[in-house]
Amino acid sequence: MAVILDGAALAAKLKARIREEAGALPRPPMLAVVLAGEDPASQIYVRGKERDCAECGIRTRTHRLPADVSQRELSALVDRLNRDGDVDGILVQLPLPEGLDPRPILHAVSPEKDVDCFHPLNAGLLALGEPRFLPCTPAGVLELLDAYEIPVRGRLCVIIGRSHLVGRPLAQLLTARDGTVTLCHSRTADLPALTRQADILVSAAGRRGLVTADMIKPGAAVIDVAMNRDPGGKLAGDVDFPAAEAMAGFLTPVPGGVGPMTRAMLLRNVLQAADRR
Ligand code: NAP
């Protein structure tokens, strides 16, 4: 049976350390959150981030804007936050309301305050192996591997999903750790043939039930990044958990695996941003 990678417990430990370090700074760090529109999931995510920050001694200031906010008003707010000396990190909650283009907004965030690591400069630094911030979800995956002493060097790492949020930056980080990385996507021919060779298999496709036990190499570390809803509304990953548990050596649960780690990594980035300033 697989060892279950307990992201919730590890995140709690990391948060305790972040709280201690935040308390040692000359003033508590500050995260500014921009939330436009009424998307219910975004409201829940933002409340979660506010709670996480409060637990770690990080202040938050959430700017709630109506769904009909203009591109120009949103840019003006980001510009003000960039210049605000009290703000260490800026997070623009996605998705933005329909009709707004997120790219110019995300690109307008000062790279020094870009705690989500979405700015092209920060994405470029990451690609060059000189990251200013680590993107939260990929960093959370690495922390989990490290905590359970799962080696990356020389291992075949197969990632399902090539998004700029998860798959691509994770491929860069695992490559930097001397993993041999195969990045798969919806046009990959014979996905199971590739996943079956993986020592570390990461699924970030957002397709419930995509990864079945026969796609897993016996003893592999299987990291399920996805957050899908089953028909009953329950959170589920991409991996068929009960079947995978019998095949994998290590396995993340959903919820309680990568999700809490992602949240903890955001807090770490805010702390780093504050510390550097
Ligand atoms: P995304 O932008 O929709 O990307 C999904 C990727 O998966 C794409 O590259 C897509 O291929 C690929 N894909 C889709 N179906 C596939 C299939 N049947 N076979 C192989 N590849 C397939 O999603 P994302 O933003 O990266 O997020 C992925 C999942 O992770 C979602 O469930 C999201 O909710 C979750 N997530 C979780 C966390 C967390 O903290 N746990 C954080 C971020 C995201 P193409 O490129 O060819 O379309």
Side-chain angles (χ1 to χ4, degrees), residues 143-192:
E143 285 286 337
L144 268 174
L145 294 174
D146 287 346
Y148 286 85
E149 298 179 352
I150 299 166
V152 174
R153 172 175 291 185
R155 298 296 175 100
L156 186 62
C157 310
V158 173
I159 303 171
I160 310 176
R162 58 176 161 182
S163 74
H164 292 288
L165 184 65
V166 185
R168 282 176 211 236
L170 181 59
Q172 288 164 350
L173 290 174
L174 290 171
T175 304
R177 291 279 195 97
D178 295 328
T180 303
V181 179
T182 301
L183 190 56
C184 303
H185 47 77
S186 68
R187 305 284 189 274
T188 295
D190 204 352
L191 183 66

Side-chain angles (χ1 to χ4, degrees), residues 45 137 160-168 184-188 191 203-207 210 224-228 236 238 257-263:
Y45 289 144
T137 301
I160 310 176
R162 58 176 161 182
S163 74
H164 292 288
L165 184 65
V166 185
R168 282 176 211 236
C184 303
H185 47 77
S186 68
R187 305 284 189 274
T188 295
L191 183 66
S203 192
R207 300 279 182 274
L210 175 70
D224 195 347
V225 173
M227 295 197 300
N228 310 302
D238 287 346
V258 176
M261 293 302 297
T262 296
R263 288 165 62 169

Side-chain angles (χ1 to χ4, degrees), residues 70-71 74-75 94 96-107:
S70 69
Q71 192 93 27
L74 211 48
S75 296
L94 299 177
L96 291 178
E98 223 166 290
L100 292 176
D101 183 355
R103 274 170 309 178
I105 305 293
L106 296 176
H107 296 184

Side-chain angles (χ1 to χ4, degrees), residues 14 68 75 81 120 122 154 161 168 175 181 200 243 253 259 264 273 276:
L14 291 172
D68 62 357
S75 296
L81 296 174
N122 289 332
R168 282 176 211 236
T175 304
V181 179
I200 296 174
R276 287 182 193 139

Side-chain angles (χ1 to χ4, degrees), residues 215-257:
M215 292 167 70
I216 298 170
K217 177 176 170 178
V222 179
I223 311 291
D224 195 347
V225 173
M227 295 197 300
N228 310 302
R229 295 273 165 196
D230 73 10
K234 242 180 80 194
L235 206 56
D238 287 346
V239 179
D240 176 357
F241 187 91
E245 205 179 355
M247 188 64 95
F250 299 88
L251 180 61
T252 58
V254 179

Side-chain angles (χ1 to χ4, degrees), residues 8-277:
L10 180 58
K13 254 197 241 166
L14 291 172
K15 279 162 72 176
R17 204 181 309 151
I18 291 166
R19 184 185 171 81
E20 222 170 87
E21 289 178 29
L25 292 176
R27 62 163 180 76
M30 159 70 90
L31 173 67
V33 179
V34 178
L35 174 58
E38 305 293 334
D39 179 55
S42 293
Q43 307 276 343
I44 293 171
Y45 289 144
V46 166
R47 273 202 298 278
K49 286 166 190 172
E50 289 169 340
R51 240 189 346 260
D52 287 344
C53 284
E55 276 177 37
C56 291
I58 295 172
R59 294 171 296 149
T60 51
R61 202 202 292 155
T62 300
H63 297 263
R64 292 189 159 74
L65 304 166
D68 62 357
V69 63
S70 69
Q71 192 93 27
R72 183 193 284 228
E73 286 167 314
L74 211 48
S75 296
L77 172 59
V78 168
D79 197 40
R80 272 206 310 283
L81 296 174
N82 283 340
R83 285 183 279 111
D84 187 333
D86 195 34
V87 171
D88 300 302
I90 301 171
L91 183 149
V92 179
Q93 183 64 44
L94 299 177
L96 291 178
E98 223 166 290
L100 292 176
D101 183 355
R103 274 170 309 178
I105 305 293
L106 296 176
H107 296 184
V109 171
S110 160
E112 285 79 22
K113 298 187 178 186
D114 173 39
V115 287
D116 260 336
C117 198
F118 287 163
H119 192 283
L121 188 67
N122 289 332
L125 286 171
L126 178 72
L128 291 172
E130 306 162 29
R132 183 199 314 259
F133 292 111
L134 292 179
C136 300
T137 301
V141 171
L142 283 194
E143 285 286 337
L144 268 174
L145 294 174
D146 287 346
Y148 286 85
E149 298 179 352
I150 299 166
V152 174
R153 172 175 291 185
R155 298 296 175 100
L156 186 62
C157 310
V158 173
I159 303 171
I160 310 176
R162 58 176 161 182
S163 74
H164 292 288
L165 184 65
V166 185
R168 282 176 211 236
L170 181 59
Q172 288 164 350
L173 290 174
L174 290 171
T175 304
R177 291 279 195 97
D178 295 328
T180 303
V181 179
T182 301
L183 190 56
C184 303
H185 47 77
S186 68
R187 305 284 189 274
T188 295
D190 204 352
L191 183 66
L194 295 169
T195 61
R196 270 198 288 271
Q197 298 174 48
D199 302 304
I200 296 174
L201 173 60
V202 181
S203 192
R207 300 279 182 274
R208 196 168 60 88
L210 175 70
V211 179
T212 48
D214 59 316
M215 292 167 70
I216 298 170
K217 177 176 170 178
V222 179
I223 311 291
D224 195 347
V225 173
M227 295 197 300
N228 310 302
R229 295 273 165 196
D230 73 10
K234 242 180 80 194
L235 206 56
D238 287 346
V239 179
D240 176 357
F241 187 91
E245 205 179 355
M247 188 64 95
F250 299 88
L251 180 61
T252 58
V254 179
V258 176
M261 293 302 297
T262 296
R263 288 165 62 169
M265 293 300 102
L266 173 69
L267 302 169
R268 190 169 75 180
N269 282 351
V270 178
L271 177 70
Q272 273 175 5
D275 193 26
R276 287 182 193 139
R277 297 177 76 240

